[in-house]
Amino acid sequence: MPRQTIHFTGRVQGVGFRFTTARLAQRDPRLAGTVENLPDGRVRLVAEGPRDAIDQLVLDLHQAFPNHIQHTDRHPAPNGPPLQGFHILR
């Protein structure tokens, strides 16, 4: 399954971003991954699943936080053991 690491910058901490991400991701059973706050103020999302499902999750986040996300940086992530479920790390 394809895996991407996505970093969100802007006012994305302290606004319910991680919980909203987890809720939105859990709506699609094809998605698995993690979301966490980073010390530099960004939020990192690691999402595994079909490209269209990951694209929809990112679009849903931009719609949920239109005034908070300033930049989104997406990169393929190295494949490893399949991820199970969707979890908030910190």
Side-chain angles (χ1 to χ4, degrees):
M1 220 20 106
R3 189 180 293 180
Q4 289 187 24
T5 299
I6 305 160
H7 290 99
F8 296 92
T9 58
R11 193 169 146 244
V12 291
Q13 292 189 15
V15 295
F17 194 90
R18 292 174 301 149
F19 298 102
T20 300
T21 301
R23 181 179 51 81
L24 291 171
Q26 290 166 351
R27 293 189 319 192
D28 189 332
R30 303 174 299 161
L31 287 173
T34 60
V35 62
E36 64 183 315
N37 286 340
L38 298 176
D40 64 5
R42 295 179 299 160
V43 170
R44 177 174 42 221
L45 166 63
V46 176
E48 182 177 273
R51 175 71 188 231
D52 66 311
I54 296 171
D55 290 346
Q56 186 62 53
L57 175 58
V58 172
L59 177 63
D60 290 346
L61 287 167
H62 276 271
Q63 290 174 343
F65 295 95
N67 299 318
H68 298 293
I69 299 171
Q70 292 178 349
H71 184 71
T72 304
D73 187 29
R74 296 172 67 158
H75 298 283
N79 287 331
L83 299 174
Q84 300 294 319
F86 202 90
H87 308 280
I88 297 170
L89 297 181
R90 54 181 154 154

